[in-house]
Amino acid sequence: MSGGLPRPALRLPTPLLPGALAALVLSGCALFHGQQPAPVTDALVSTVEPASEPVAASEPEPEEPETTGHDQPHKPKHPTVKPHKPEPPPPVVASAPVAPPPAPIITTRLIDRSQTHALLDSEVQRRDGKVIGRAVDLVADAGGKPNEMIVNLQGFLGIGDRKVSFPWSVFRFTPGGHGSPITLDVPVGKLPLADRPKRAGAGVPVTATQLPLLDTTVERPNGAAVGRVVDVLIDGSAQPQAVVLDVSGMVSPDRRTIAANWSALRFVTKDKLLHALLDLNDAQIKASPPYASDKPIQAVSPVVPVAAAPASAAPPTAPPAAASPARASR
């Protein structure tokens, strides 16, 4: 194009123009001072990091084995856990069988002392309360029933005392031990002739039909002595409930008394004389509670051991059948 200035061949972008001009000015200044112009770099400001400490080289990682297309990665095997067998329980030690308690050898019956009356040496009075004597003995018949009571009638200052036998049916007993007297309920003058008191003198003799109990020795069926009767306990109905026996020397040398049930006595006639029997052995005597006037009354009876039942006889076995005769051969 004629008539004007030629167009420059290179046109710098407008954003780079100020930077280029600044570079030219600086380079020109450097020429005046004789210094070489610094190379222009793309980065105007570079950040220099301080030198750091040398880093220790890490261990080389193990190389993984190359796998082919056919090889599959191995699956991790889990450890096989075997089921734990439960330990068997410890063997149960069989305990020794407990032995059953020994069978009782005696039975005891509790008797209310306030409902009984001790016979020996109890006061005997009339209906009006006048004391005429003391009871000294009881006479039993062959059936074991009281038949008579012997009373020691009092004289003046002990002079003229005498023993008289009265029928048992004329007395009334008030329970309470020795404190309550025995009452002669029927006037002596009005008793029938057969029931009038008889002079006992030295005592009532033992016969085949009567037995004075006080100081009598009670025996076992084999004749061995059990003890000596020292008292008889009577209830309010004039019925004997127990006898008190002195068993000293039977199981120990010490003095000891026990109470035996009246029902445990048996009256038998031997050698034309009446005897009182009580089947009480030494072990049963030892197991009997002692009798004391200030303790509850425990009257004992022997336990008769139950005999073992005889084994039932086995039924007779049938005789074996006779073998059939063999057939004769043709």
Side-chain angles (χ1 to χ4, degrees), residues 123-132 181 183:
E123 292 182 343
V124 178
Q125 65 180 10
R126 297 182 183 271
R127 287 181 175 179
D128 57 5
K130 182 181 179 180
V131 176
I132 61 174
T183 303

Side-chain angles (χ1 to χ4, degrees), residues 17-177:
L17 184 58
L21 292 177
L24 290 176
V25 173
L26 292 175
S27 64
C29 295
L31 291 176
F32 290 106
H33 293 285
Q35 294 180 357
Q36 295 295 327
V40 179
T41 60
D42 294 336
L44 298 180
V45 181
S46 62
T47 304
V48 179
E49 296 181 358
S52 59
E53 296 180 358
V55 180
S58 60
E59 295 181 358
E61 296 182 357
E63 297 182 358
E64 296 182 358
E66 296 182 357
T67 58
T68 62
H70 299 286
D71 296 336
Q72 297 293 334
H74 293 285
K75 296 181 179 180
K77 293 184 179 180
H78 298 284
T80 305
V81 180
K82 295 183 179 181
H84 179 68
K85 291 185 179 181
E87 296 183 0
V92 179
V93 180
S95 58
V98 180
I105 58 177
I106 60 170
T107 59
T108 59
R109 180 172 67 99
L110 187 63
I111 300 177
D112 189 353
R113 186 175 294 277
S114 64
Q115 300 300 318
T116 60
H117 196 297
L119 177 72
L120 183 62
D121 208 28
S122 292
E123 292 182 343
V124 178
Q125 65 180 10
R126 297 182 183 271
R127 287 181 175 179
D128 57 5
K130 182 181 179 180
V131 176
I132 61 174
R134 291 181 178 274
V136 294
D137 209 343
L138 180 152
V139 180
D141 60 14
K145 295 181 179 181
N147 189 22
E148 298 177 349
M149 187 171 72
I150 301 176
V151 179
N152 186 23
L153 297 179
Q154 297 176 352
F156 181 71
L157 296 179
I159 301 174
D161 291 356
R162 62 189 186 278
K163 293 181 179 179
V164 178
S165 174
F166 288 89
W168 185 262
S169 58
V170 300
F171 294 102
R172 300 292 178 265
F173 294 85
T174 303

